[in-house]
Amino acid sequence: MAYYRSLYFSENPNDFHSQVKINSTTGSELVTTSEAKDFIRVDTSADDTIIGEMITEARIWIENYITKDLVAKTRTYYTPFQKERFVLPFAPVASITSVTVDGTAATYEVKGLDNEIVELNELPAKEVQVAYTTSGLDDSLLKQAVLRLVSTFYDNRAEFVIGQRQVNIIPINVKSILSGYKTMFI
């Protein structure tokens, strides 16, 4: 299943519009259905399918929030006009399969702690496309964030309102756990 996400780096989307596509998810979820059921204290198999879907939903929400992959994926990144350096979204980058500039294979250098910075040798570049693989992150705090988010999703399977205020669906403790992982764009 391909998933596209447009990235805007300007108030005007015509100024700079990039896209990232998930070609395939190659890694496994950080949390199993059994672990989630233990955490949310479910002892029946009746909800196994929905809990499995909630694990995936929680993982995707976290990946988008911190702009890093929790499970390994192959991705394609497209960006129009590019300076000599740019950052690939959703690190850590395990490998870069190809970089094309204006439809032609390009030479480049990879930099950064997670191999997420690409420095092009061919300039100027009107269109850049990068095919790459991410390795995913595996960490007990991220696993805890997935479990807590699944618990929230499971406990609040329908939208609900208390009085006139809608309840915040993402717990503060999950955002606190994730704050250290969140990519900061400067």
Side-chain angles (χ1 to χ4, degrees), residues 105-178:
T107 57
Y108 59 92
E109 290 182 47
V110 177
K111 300 182 180 209
L113 298 175
D114 288 327
N115 297 321
E116 77 282 15
I117 300 171
V118 177
E119 191 170 284
L120 297 173
N121 294 330
E122 282 83 10
L123 293 172
K126 291 181 184 169
E127 292 185 340
V128 177
Q129 188 165 314
V130 181
Y132 64 105
T133 303
T134 61
S135 59
L137 299 170
D138 188 359
D139 174 299
S140 62
L141 285 174
L142 291 170
K143 189 173 183 176
Q144 192 62 220
V146 170
L147 288 168
R148 290 179 187 195
L149 204 48
V150 168
S151 176
T152 300
F153 291 163
Y154 188 79
D155 291 342
N156 304 296
R157 284 171 268 178
E159 290 188 32
F160 58 96
V161 177
I162 295 177
Q164 295 296 318
R165 296 182 60 184
Q166 186 168 355
V167 177
N168 188 356
I169 193 73
I170 307 305
I172 298 298
N173 59 5
V174 171
K175 286 186 177 182
S176 295
I177 289 171
L178 298 175

Side-chain angles (χ1 to χ4, degrees), residues 19-174:
Q19 297 174 319
V20 63
K21 172 185 168 185
I22 297 172
N23 300 316
S24 66
T25 300
T26 56
S28 315
E29 296 293 350
L30 289 179
V31 173
T32 66
T33 302
S34 177
E35 291 169 323
K37 285 172 60 176
D38 288 346
F39 187 82
I40 58 180
R41 299 184 179 135
V42 172
D43 56 8
T44 178
S45 61
D47 287 345
D48 282 7
T49 301
I50 194 167
I51 291 170
E53 291 168 352
M54 288 176 178
I55 291 168
T56 302
E57 179 184 4
R59 189 241 321 142
I60 290 170
W61 189 93
I62 289 169
E63 287 175 335
N64 287 325
Y65 184 76
I66 67 174
T67 62
K68 292 183 170 94
D69 280 340
L70 299 187
V71 300
K73 294 180 187 61
T74 59
R75 291 180 172 271
T76 301
Y77 175 69
Y78 166 82
T79 184
F81 182 75
Q82 204 43 255
K83 298 177 183 173
E84 65 184 61
R85 260 184 193 201
F86 59 94
V87 177
L88 291 172
F90 297 97
V93 176
S95 65
I96 295 177
T97 310
S98 67
V99 176
T100 59
V101 172
D102 303 330
T104 305
T107 57
Y108 59 92
E109 290 182 47
V110 177
K111 300 182 180 209
L113 298 175
D114 288 327
N115 297 321
E116 77 282 15
I117 300 171
V118 177
E119 191 170 284
L120 297 173
N121 294 330
E122 282 83 10
L123 293 172
K126 291 181 184 169
E127 292 185 340
V128 177
Q129 188 165 314
V130 181
Y132 64 105
T133 303
T134 61
S135 59
L137 299 170
D138 188 359
D139 174 299
S140 62
L141 285 174
L142 291 170
K143 189 173 183 176
Q144 192 62 220
V146 170
L147 288 168
R148 290 179 187 195
L149 204 48
V150 168
S151 176
T152 300
F153 291 163
Y154 188 79
D155 291 342
N156 304 296
R157 284 171 268 178
E159 290 188 32
F160 58 96
V161 177
I162 295 177
Q164 295 296 318
R165 296 182 60 184
Q166 186 168 355
V167 177
N168 188 356
I169 193 73
I170 307 305
I172 298 298
N173 59 5
V174 171

